[in-house]
Amino acid sequence: MAKKQAKTNAVRLIEQKKIAYEIFEYTINDGEAVDGLTVAGKIGQPVEHVYKTLVATAGKGNYFVFVIPVDAELNLKAAAKVVGQKKIEMLPVKELLGLTGYIRGGCSPIGMKKLFPTIIEEAATALDYIIVSAGKIGMQIKLAPEDLQQATNGQFASIVS
């Protein structure tokens, strides 16, 4: 009998919304990096399809989620402008779990404790699918960019340097 796959909040939410998806699982050895380039290699997917989830803040109670290619850098000025703020900064890692319900390396833009304004790098619209964290280290979810936008009430904008 096949091992039953554990479902994360992200997977449950995608299923509730009846969005087509595919799961990729991989293992990380102790001390091994959990960066996006490593993940792309482990799941055998082109790096340009693998996206990371970043959480930023413009002060207490003012949080934003950015979904960008793993090989790109978030442009904080452009990101702040898109969300209507003068300035934003990355959320300290120690605050991530309490705020989102996810840990660094396993933070999904889907199914956070609260639905925060979510911006997806507009380059994703040129792809037929993107891959983001499914909510835990070792699990990625593949879906259409438009489906990610729907699941997160997100918007597309140019937010990378």
Side-chain angles (χ1 to χ4, degrees):
M1 192 160 100
K3 188 178 124 204
K4 188 172 185 288
Q5 192 173 33
K7 285 191 182 166
T8 61
N9 284 347
V11 174
R12 281 192 213 63
L13 189 79
I14 290 294
E15 287 182 347
Q16 277 174 2
K17 293 182 177 284
K18 302 201 180 339
I19 291 172
Y21 71 93
E22 187 178 333
I23 293 290
F24 293 99
E25 293 192 88
Y26 61 94
T27 55
I28 292 286
N29 302 315
D30 283 350
E32 192 175 5
V34 191
D35 65 272
L37 299 175
T38 302
V39 169
K42 285 187 172 277
I43 63 174
Q45 290 293 312
V47 115
E48 58 272 12
H49 285 270
V50 183
Y51 278 55
K52 59 187 170 185
T53 304
L54 303 174
V55 182
T57 180
K60 189 111 177 90
N62 222 351
Y63 303 104
F64 306 95
V65 177
F66 298 97
V67 183
I68 66 171
V70 294
D71 60 353
E73 289 286 322
L74 180 65
N75 180 326
L76 289 171
K77 276 195 167 118
K81 190 174 179 184
V82 167
V83 296
Q85 299 293 321
K86 281 191 170 110
K87 182 181 172 207
I88 59 170
E89 57 190 36
M90 297 307 299
L91 185 76
V93 173
K94 66 182 189 304
E95 295 177 28
L96 190 63
L97 179 61
L99 183 71
T100 66
Y102 294 128
I103 61 169
R104 182 183 180 277
C107 186
S108 179
I110 308 160
M112 289 186 179
K113 287 181 174 182
K114 278 180 64 184
L115 189 58
F116 298 108
T118 301
I119 312 301
I120 305 159
E121 169 53 39
E122 70 183 1
T125 60
L127 302 172
D128 53 350
Y129 69 90
I130 62 172
I131 298 166
V132 297
S133 173
K136 69 178 190 178
I137 293 174
M139 186 187 262
Q140 299 287 111
I141 190 166
K142 171 183 170 180
L143 68 170
E146 297 74 21
D147 288 339
L148 177 63
Q149 178 189 27
Q150 178 199 339
T152 60
N153 289 341
Q155 71 181 68
F156 293 104
S158 180
I159 51 174
V160 297
S161 299

